[in-house]
């Protein structure tokens, strides 16, 4: 083996087939089971997209109402999940709380190690229902607010917002949130999805794969970027200071959160749709100052480094305007991406191939004890 065989970060390396989604940097497009994500965001609900990712086809009205009924049945957390979360410090990062809670849900599941497609589908829809409850529970406990129980008369996004804030916001907010869930749902072999596939390839269980994926998504080079974008905006403060801040940050060799992508090099296909959703929220909340800061940093970054925004750049300020704590942003990514992760887990199981790459040794040559 030689150095030329090494592909650090697996950049540009094709390791397997997937039928779940197609990311095409040449055409700057993203297809979920063949459908352009922009069309799904415009015409479908997140529940329909979750069904599509898992079943390969969009649901008809009967299939959708059955699917929704099952998802709604999982919106209440078991008492031991609440006890474990309550025992965690209020300063615990919400991604650590979420990872821990999913572990408990897995430990509670007597079928955890049964990996038939039916069993994994049941676990997946259970997590779809339960993760919003965990995210809402954790944000309210941190804010020392009373816990809000789910409402069965509300769809996925409206109920998520209701459990988090104690009321259903304007439809424009529910719609923007639903669009963000659709856009975050799936993105082929990104780091957290590939993590889930690696764990699954050993024939470990779905919960272990999801917990591992949550750990991977937490990192600021991946899912943690949407939280980091708001920290950047807080650092800059106002649009007039964006260019000066950027010059300093780039001089310090900092990665500017919310910009760049390993696969897309001419811009993230999802950004225009999420930016349009952000614009509706800017109008709803009269957040012109935030919009100007957003535009100022983007134009400075693209002119200085010709590196374009990724999905985390518009989604961070969108979640901020919706009222979520900044620390809650990446758990929102988990709530959506758990659909893509579990679709890949089921696909990896069917391919039944252990993932085990090679390495080129560059440590001490063979030597022996005296
Ligand atoms: C997500 O893979 C997916 O599909 C992920 C995702 C999904 O849906 O699952 O799309 C979600 O993770 C989006 C990315 C969120 N992360 C961030 O916003 C963090 C900031 N971005 C960078 O860290 C970076 O752009 C990466 C990690 C996302 C991609 O980096 P690459 O492709 O490995 O590129 P690189 O780090 O090799 O950078 C190439 C050059 C470098 O300059 P040089 O050292 O060659 O001079 O571009 C520079 C980098 O320094 N660069 C940046 C930059 N991104 C790249 N410089 C400053 N700020 C940035 N954001």
């Amino acid at each position: 083996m030689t150095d030329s065989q090494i592909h650090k970060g697996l950049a540009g390396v094709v390791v397997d087939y997937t039928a779940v989604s197609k990311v095409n940097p040449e055409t700057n497009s993203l297809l979920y089971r063949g459908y352009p994500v922009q069309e799904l965001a415009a015409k479908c609900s997140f529940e329909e997209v979750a069904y599509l990712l898992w079943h390969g086809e969009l649901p008809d009205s009967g299939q959708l109402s059955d699917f929704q009924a099952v998802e709604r049945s999982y919106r209440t957390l078991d008492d031991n999940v609440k006890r474990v979360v309550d025992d965690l410090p209020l300063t615990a990062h919400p991604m650590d709380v979420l990872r821990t809670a999913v572990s408990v849900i897995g430990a509670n599941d007597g079928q955890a190690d049964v990996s038939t497609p039916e069993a994994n589908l049941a676990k997946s829809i259970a997590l779809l229902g339960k993760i919003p409850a965990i995210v809402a529970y954790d944000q309210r406990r941190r804010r020392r607010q009373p816990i809000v129980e789910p409402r069965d008369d509300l769809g996925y996004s409206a109920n998520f917002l209701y459990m988090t804030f104690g009321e259903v916001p304007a439809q424009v907010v529910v719609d923007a949130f639903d669009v963000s869930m659709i856009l975050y749902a799936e993105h082929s072999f990104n780091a957290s999805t590939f993590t889930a596939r690696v764990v699954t390839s050993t024939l470990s269980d779905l919960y272990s794969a999801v917990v591992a994926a949550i750990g991977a998504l937490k990192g600021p080079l991946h899912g943690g970027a949407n939280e980091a974008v708001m920290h950047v905006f807080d650092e800059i403060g106002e649009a007039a200071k964006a260019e000066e801040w950027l010059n300093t940050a780039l001089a310090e060799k900092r990665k500017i959160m919310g910009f760049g992508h390993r696969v897309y090099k001419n811009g993230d296909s999802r950004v225009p749709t999420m930016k349009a959703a952000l614009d509706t929220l800017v109008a709803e909340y009269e957040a012109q100052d935030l919009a100007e800061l957003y535009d100022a940093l983007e134009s400075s970054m693209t002119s200085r480094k010709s590196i374009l925004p990724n999905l985390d750049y518009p989604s961070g300020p969108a979640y901020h305007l919706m009222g979520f704590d900044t620390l809650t942003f990446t758990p929102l990514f988990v709530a959506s991406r758990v659909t893509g992760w579990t679709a890949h887990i089921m696909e990896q199981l069917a391919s039944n191939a252990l993932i085990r790459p090679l390495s080129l040794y560059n440590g001490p040559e063979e030597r022996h004890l005296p």
Side-chain angles (χ1 to χ4, degrees):
M1 276 195 285
T2 63
D3 289 354
S4 62
Q5 288 175 277
I6 290 181
H7 301 276
K8 267 185 123 34
L10 294 182
V13 175
V14 180
V15 293
D16 205 344
Y17 290 102
T18 181
V20 182
S21 71
K22 180 178 182 181
V23 179
N24 187 339
E26 279 72 48
T27 57
N28 200 8
S29 63
L30 170 60
L31 307 178
Y32 290 175
R33 301 284 190 187
Y35 291 103
V37 72
Q38 294 81 0
E39 287 181 30
L40 294 170
K43 300 178 180 175
C44 297
S45 65
F46 176 53
E47 292 102 319
E48 289 173 295
V49 170
Y51 186 100
L52 170 67
L53 290 172
W54 288 336
H55 296 276
E57 297 295 337
L58 285 163
D60 60 31
S61 56
Q63 290 163 330
L64 179 59
S65 57
D66 292 346
F67 181 82
Q68 288 172 323
V70 175
E71 181 268 319
R72 292 173 196 199
S73 70
Y74 285 112
R75 290 175 176 177
T76 303
L77 296 178
D78 295 338
D79 288 341
N80 69 339
V81 174
K82 293 177 183 176
R83 279 198 303 274
V84 167
V85 171
D86 288 340
D87 277 352
L88 297 175
L90 290 179
T91 53
H93 194 291
M95 286 292 277
D96 300 343
V97 173
L98 185 50
R99 165 170 52 78
T100 305
V102 170
S103 277
V104 177
I105 291 168
N108 284 346
D109 182 349
Q111 301 282 307
D113 293 326
V114 175
S115 59
T116 61
E118 298 73 22
N120 279 332
L121 210 47
K123 296 172 200 170
S124 303
I125 200 167
L127 288 176
L128 181 68
K130 289 184 178 296
I131 287 174
I134 300 164
V135 175
Y137 188 95
D138 188 36
Q139 174 160 305
R140 291 190 72 86
R141 80 178 186 117
R142 287 201 312 276
R143 292 184 177 190
R144 291 180 173 76
Q145 294 170 324
I147 299 309
V148 175
E149 293 303 321
R151 278 179 49 182
D152 289 346
D153 61 323
L154 295 176
Y156 174 92
S157 290
N159 175 67
F160 200 154
L161 292 160
Y162 173 73
M163 291 184 78
T164 306
F165 302 109
E167 59 184 9
V168 181
Q171 192 59 42
V172 65
V173 179
V174 176
D175 293 345
F177 184 82
D178 209 58
V179 164
S180 78
M181 290 290 110
I182 291 170
L183 295 175
Y184 264 134
E186 159 62 15
H187 212 239
S188 78
F189 281 18
N190 60 84
S192 55
T193 297
F194 193 62
T195 299
R197 290 189 76 122
V198 170
V199 172
T200 303
S201 80
T202 72
L203 300 186
S204 185
D205 69 293
L206 178 141
Y207 298 105
S208 297
V210 169
V211 166
I214 293 173
L217 192 73
K218 179 184 176 184
L221 292 190
H222 187 17
N226 60 10
E227 171 190 329
V229 166
M230 274 324 289
H231 296 321
V232 165
F233 283 171
D234 291 342
E235 270 187 51
I236 297 172
E238 57 184 46
K241 295 177 179 170
E243 187 163 6
E244 180 192 358
W245 179 89
L246 183 65
N247 291 337
T248 307
L250 292 176
E252 294 166 351
K253 298 286 182 200
R254 285 174 62 176
K255 294 277 199 227
I256 311 306
M257 297 292 117
F259 289 88
H261 200 279
R262 173 59 63 80
V263 177
Y264 294 120
K265 293 307 179 189
N266 299 309
D268 184 327
S269 65
R270 302 161 292 184
V271 167
T273 307
M274 191 63 224
K275 178 62 169 58
L278 172 59
D279 291 344
T280 66
L281 296 171
V282 166
E284 175 72 13
Y285 294 108
E286 297 176 351
Q288 207 47 41
D289 291 351
L290 181 61
E292 286 167 9
L293 175 50
Y294 178 102
D295 293 340
L297 181 58
E298 179 183 359
S299 61
S300 299
M301 183 65 178
T302 46
S303 58
R304 273 295 307 274
K305 294 277 284 185
S306 69
I307 296 173
L308 298 169
N310 57 54
L311 177 57
D312 294 310
Y313 192 58
S315 63
Y319 291 143
H320 171 75
L321 291 176
M322 290 179 203
F324 289 103
D325 293 346
T326 301
L327 284 172
T328 303
F329 291 5
T330 312
L332 299 176
F333 196 157
V334 174
S336 166
R337 187 55 60 90
V338 72
T339 58
W341 289 337
T342 46
H344 280 273
I345 287 166
M346 289 184 266
E347 185 178 67
Q348 179 67 39
L349 268 176
S351 84
N352 195 18
L354 176 67
I355 297 173
R356 199 284 188 207
L358 296 176
S359 57
L360 191 56
Y361 177 72
N362 64 357
E365 287 306 318
E366 186 174 344
R367 50 185 172 164
H368 300 284
L369 293 170

